Amino acid sequence: PRSTLFPYTTLFRSINNSGQVVGYAYSNDVVHAFLYSGGSMTDLGTLGGSDSFAWGVNNNGQIVGEAYTGAAPNGSLVADHAFLYQQGAMTDLGTLGGSQSSARGINNSGQIVGYSYTSGDAANHAFLYSGGTMADLNSLISTNSGWTLAGARAINDNGQIVGYGSGPSAIWTHAFLLTPVLPLIISFQPQPLTVNAGANATFNVTATGTVPLSYQWTFNGTNVTGATSSSLVVSNVAQSNLGSYAVV
């Protein structure tokens, strides 16, 4: 559809499950990010400069992109900063020390990924913005991985990030998939059970950590064949089933 705010080129870049669409539109020499929702288009504005671009929207209606702020610190370039737009306000997410940054993806937890110049505009690095802080993704991977992560494009609700960078060969740009290593936390331990003979006994465990999680139930220290889910059902309980059940 043609915008009444921007009568020229309109580009859609992302859509959420509610049908909200974001992108940017051109009018003469100005480009502005927009939200298209409910049949109308909203101009998201800028961070004080002339232009803005929206790249992603999550199912909560939070929008990310980049917007001009004005003159860059070195006075020769336009300062282009990553932004988060929510509840009618655009927030500058800052940079990794350089003059420019861009937010390209956001998950439903509000974690944001993109890329930014580092201090002195020496390099372009991928970032993760979470909990109010922008972190260089290169600081979150092994120092001997051989990778330099230049840009991040998307993040899912498991915290997995996709982007591009240079691998150990350092010759060509390669795509990467980054999976966070999370501490294993058991929030619900299996509980002791007393059941009548012939009944079924069900043990459960609840855990969080790096997906996919794996489980192995044991009986008196021996693995139970096929018992590799978060629940264990012992059917038709008999005297031989009495003992110690655990999950690792």
Side-chain angles (χ1 to χ4, degrees):
R2 176 163 290 186
S3 165
T4 57
L5 293 175
F6 306 97
Y8 301 112
T9 303
T10 303
L11 298 174
F12 289 167
R13 290 302 186 183
S14 183
I15 184 172
N16 66 14
N17 289 344
S18 297
Q20 294 178 306
V21 180
V22 298
Y24 49 91
Y26 294 80
S27 178
N28 297 323
D29 293 328
V30 175
V31 185
H32 275 200
F34 67 79
L35 165 66
Y36 184 84
S37 181
S40 62
M41 183 176 287
T42 301
D43 182 352
L44 302 187
T46 73
L47 292 172
S50 60
D51 298 348
S52 59
F53 306 82
W55 296 105
V57 58
N58 67 12
N59 289 334
N60 300 314
Q62 295 174 300
I63 302 166
V64 294
E66 60 191 273
Y68 291 177
T69 64
N74 59 20
S76 61
L77 296 172
V78 173
D80 194 15
H81 282 195
F83 73 74
L84 168 64
Y85 184 95
Q86 59 183 348
Q87 299 176 344
M90 182 180 288
T91 301
D92 187 340
L93 301 185
T95 73
L96 293 173
S99 64
Q100 300 185 34
S101 61
S102 176
R104 292 302 181 108
I106 182 170
N107 66 13
N108 291 321
S109 297
Q111 294 177 304
I112 300 167
V113 295
Y115 56 85
S116 171
Y117 286 166
T118 58
S119 181
D121 291 348
N124 209 45
H125 280 188
F127 72 75
L128 168 66
Y129 186 93
S130 182
T133 301
M134 181 181 289
D136 188 332
L137 278 181
N138 292 278
S139 70
L140 303 180
I141 63 175
S142 173
T143 56
N144 59 3
S145 69
W147 276 88
T148 298
L149 308 182
R153 293 292 186 175
I155 180 170
N156 67 16
D157 290 340
N158 292 323
Q160 293 176 300
I161 300 169
V162 292
Y164 60 93
S166 57
S169 64
I171 298 176
W172 305 106
T173 297
H174 287 185
F176 70 78
L177 167 63
L178 196 63
T179 299
V181 178
L182 303 175
L184 178 63
I185 299 175
I186 298 177
S187 54
F188 182 82
Q189 295 276 5
Q191 302 297 305
L193 294 176
T194 300
V195 299
N196 295 326
N200 295 341
T202 302
F203 300 94
N204 295 291
V205 63
T206 302
T208 58
T210 301
V211 294
L213 297 176
S214 60
Y215 305 87
Q216 176 61 63
W217 290 87
T218 66
F219 174 54
N220 289 335
T222 300
N223 289 349
V224 179
T225 302
T228 57
S229 71
S230 59
S231 297
L232 172 67
V233 178
V234 181
S235 302
N236 193 22
V237 170
Q239 186 72 25
S240 60
N241 299 121
L242 299 180
S244 175
Y245 292 86
V247 61
V248 295

